Amino acid sequence: MWLLNSSIGRKLIMSISGVFLILFLLFHASMNVAAVFSEEAYNAICSFLGANWYAVAATLVLAAGFLIHIIYAIWLTLLNRKARGSDRYAVNVRPKNVEWASQNMFILGLIVVGFLGLHFTQFWYKMMFAELMGHHEVALGSGMVSPQDGAAFIRYYFSNIIVVALYLVWYVALWFHLTHGFWSAIQTIGWSNGIWLKRWQAISNIFATLICLAFAFVTIFFYLKSIL
Amino acid sequence: MDKNINITLKVWRQKGPKEKGAFETYKLNNVSQGSSFLEMLDVLNEQLVNEGKEPVAFDHDCREGICGMCSLYINGHPHGPDSAVTTCQLHMRKFDDGATITVEPWRSAGFPVIRDLMVDRYAYDKIIQAGGFVSVNTGGIPDANAIPIPKKDADLAMDAAACIGCGACAAACKNGSAMLFVSAKVSQLALLPQGKIEAARRAKAMVAKMDELGFGNCTNTRSCEAECPKEVSISNIARLNREYIAAKLQD
């Protein structure tokens, strides 16, 4: 199967799973922004996404997308290290026009996945997972809240400056990952040429900035709300 | 004005493909800045021979930037710090008096070291043999205007054909990927009507050979394009991806 045993096929899987995750991020960021304007609206989305069959099905598809992207990242990195050979260069210089992010996608991906673990224990585990386990109340700080009360989770976690700082670091790593990942995915699919390469790079930068600003805005908004 | 400079060279010495290599340091005085990098290495070798030592083995041939024979990874750059030139076109005026210059061979699993700075680049020839050509029945000379080709396509094909197959792309790539080379060789033919007929077969065969020879997977870092002595664009890589994916979907 050429998707598995050719270099371009493997890259295509990496690219399509990446674009899929980018679309998810767009959805997640839009959903978060709703919380700023109306906590009821945000909670309505949370209950809609609770343990309903379609939300669980979509989560499984999403998890598959993540897993494929991560497994292929590890596989490609190992293959590429082997292709580089056992002897490394003594002097390494990053040429002009080569983005730092493009050469550090795996490290950036590791950082993103690491923080994803934190995010899961704070939110997903106590929300969707708790609901799936049949709990109608979960402990959050000193009180008990409904696993569908997403706004309460946001208020609780984003009132802690350390959590806020960690999330902001996460968004920065994500920004670097996206600025390269987006246009690189398009290039791998082949939808690029001399003119469109520059356009896709500009779109990647704008898109990554918008997504990360949306996430950061919600995080900082709720922190300020908690101290004011 | 060009003057004479004193330099320190850190050169990779390796007796054979299986031997363990190491850097040797040499001092070279009164090197004319007007000389090319390879001429400087010739001077070094003369000095080594006079001292009764083994000269440094390095690849070179035409010394005018078209044969693709010279290589060398100089101070972290394939073909040295200058842009859009091969090592043979690199001049010593790019280096300052008292400079330390580190010279390494291409390092890539696809290009094993033969000796010192010389690597085996036969892998690129094998990729070409897999399909980097047009099959024609020889006959009379066709009329120059028999096959009209748009200027834009002719220009793009010519830009891709500027690739001299030196291997700087795979040497510069952190993934050891040969995609810039393969994409240039696929593009120069796929863009022209004469090459279109075999385009699908060519893309599949050349990529399969590239993968088989152990080159890495392209992650679009653009190092190849930045270091290419002929400034071949990565838009060729997008074209190769297109050609390859379309060919595979047609199967």
Side-chain angles (χ1 to χ4, degrees):
Chain A
M1 181 61 181
W2 67 277
L3 280 172
L4 300 170
N5 55 25
S6 77
S7 61
I8 296 180
R10 285 188 289 263
K11 283 296 303 169
L12 187 65
I13 289 182
M14 199 64 193
S15 135
I16 289 172
S17 59
V19 170
F20 172 66
L21 296 178
I22 285 173
L23 290 177
F24 163 71
L25 283 175
L26 184 64
F27 163 74
H28 200 327
S30 321
M31 168 182 147
N32 290 7
V33 172
V36 172
F37 298 102
S38 159
E39 295 190 6
E40 289 81 52
Y42 183 72
N43 280 353
I45 303 171
C46 288
S47 60
F48 169 72
L49 291 177
N52 300 313
W53 70 268
Y54 43 82
V56 174
T59 305
L60 288 177
V61 173
L62 183 63
F66 265 103
L67 275 180
I68 290 170
H69 199 68
I70 293 164
I71 290 168
Y72 268 73
I74 296 169
W75 190 22
L76 286 167
T77 304
L78 289 176
L79 282 175
N80 287 348
R81 280 188 69 84
K82 199 174 151 223
R84 198 74 192 82
S86 42
D87 278 320
R88 304 271 137 182
Y89 286 117
V91 184
N92 280 294
V93 183
R94 182 160 55 87
K96 267 182 268 171
N97 302 330
V98 175
E99 312 153 306
W100 174 81
S102 73
Q103 297 190 317
N104 294 281
M105 287 298 272
F106 189 73
I107 303 292
L108 288 167
L110 274 184
I111 297 172
V112 170
V113 170
F115 281 103
L116 197 64
L118 174 74
H119 182 59
F120 264 39
T121 54
Q122 288 180 335
F123 289 85
W124 179 80
Y125 179 70
K126 292 185 179 173
M127 294 175 77
M128 182 187 244
F129 187 73
E131 244 189 287
L132 284 173
M133 293 292 109
H135 301 307
H136 296 290
E137 277 201 318
V138 284
L140 185 67
S142 52
M144 297 293 281
V145 294
S146 158
Q148 297 192 347
D149 191 358
F153 283 90
I154 299 184
R155 277 197 308 270
Y156 174 71
Y157 284 116
F158 291 165
S159 65
N160 182 336
I161 185 69
I162 297 166
V163 174
V164 169
L166 286 174
Y167 272 72
L168 291 178
V169 171
W170 187 21
Y171 306 148
V172 171
L174 190 63
W175 183 85
F176 277 108
H177 199 77
L178 289 180
T179 51
H180 176 70
F182 190 166
W183 77 259
S184 178
I186 304 290
Q187 164 91 1
T188 299
I189 297 172
W191 290 334
S192 183
N193 56 34
I195 298 163
W196 273 93
L197 176 66
K198 294 189 201 91
R199 292 181 185 167
W200 283 121
Q201 284 192 313
I203 292 169
S204 299
N205 285 336
I206 295 167
F207 183 82
T209 309
L210 281 179
I211 291 259
C212 292
L213 275 183
F215 280 126
F217 170 64
V218 175
T219 309
I220 294 167
F221 178 85
F222 277 91
Y223 177 68
L224 291 177
K225 212 174 162 185
S226 76
I227 56 168
L228 292 175
Chain B
M1 260 306 283
D2 289 346
K3 52 181 192 217
N4 287 356
I5 55 171
N6 299 330
I7 53 171
T8 307
L9 287 164
K10 271 182 73 185
V11 182
W12 184 260
R13 302 302 307 261
Q14 186 171 338
K15 285 218 167 72
K18 303 263 179 258
E19 312 270 331
K20 212 174 144 43
F23 282 104
E24 289 277 341
T25 306
Y26 305 105
K27 292 232 179 266
L28 208 53
N29 294 331
N30 281 320
V31 178
S32 162
Q33 280 191 313
S35 66
S36 78
F37 197 85
L38 295 185
E39 283 164 347
M40 179 277 292
L41 286 181
D42 292 337
V43 173
L44 169 71
N45 276 347
E46 194 178 1
Q47 181 178 311
L48 289 176
V49 169
N50 288 341
E51 288 169 5
K53 292 178 184 158
E54 277 289 317
V56 179
F58 61 93
D59 271 329
H60 60 104
D61 193 8
C62 77
R63 298 208 179 194
E64 55 183 22
I66 53 168
C67 76
M69 200 60 209
C70 59
S71 52
L72 306 188
Y73 198 86
I74 304 158
N75 282 351
H77 295 280
H79 295 297
D82 207 353
S83 61
V85 296
T86 55
T87 296
C88 62
Q89 295 168 300
L90 175 69
H91 280 81
M92 291 310 293
R93 64 179 70 95
K94 285 280 161 191
F95 301 93
D96 297 323
D97 191 26
T100 299
I101 306 169
T102 308
V103 193
E104 302 173 70
W106 284 175
R107 294 198 195 281
S108 174
F111 296 147
V113 172
I114 298 169
R115 190 188 169 100
D116 296 340
L117 303 171
M118 223 180 217
V119 298
D120 177 3
R121 283 173 286 176
Y122 190 47
Y124 270 17
D125 296 331
K126 285 182 189 158
I127 295 173
I128 291 290
Q129 282 164 8
F133 49 79
V134 177
S135 311
V136 283
N137 295 318
T138 50
I141 300 163
D143 185 78
N145 294 319
I147 308 170
I149 297 164
K151 170 87 167 84
K152 193 172 135 273
D153 292 351
D155 285 351
L156 286 172
M158 198 64 208
D159 288 347
C163 167
I164 51 174
C166 65
C169 43
C173 180
K174 74 185 269 281
N175 307 316
S177 167
M179 281 287 275
L180 193 67
F181 166 74
V182 177
S183 69
K185 296 301 175 194
V186 163
S187 290
Q188 68 183 14
L189 298 175
L191 281 160
L192 302 176
Q194 296 94 326
K196 270 210 177 93
I197 300 148
E198 294 167 297
R201 192 179 77 197
R202 177 182 308 115
K204 285 186 284 186
M206 290 179 78
V207 170
K209 184 54 84 176
M210 170 186 86
D211 291 344
E212 180 198 318
L213 293 169
F215 289 101
N217 307 270
C218 170
T219 64
N220 307 315
T221 69
R222 306 188 74 177
S223 299
C224 52
E225 181 186 55
E227 299 290 9
C228 175
K230 299 297 163 187
E231 300 188 310
V232 173
S233 160
I234 63 157
S235 59
N236 290 303
I237 296 181
R239 184 177 297 104
L240 171 62
N241 290 336
R242 235 174 6 247
E243 293 276 335
Y244 183 83
I245 293 167
K248 282 291 183 184
L249 289 178
Q250 269 171 17
D251 285 350

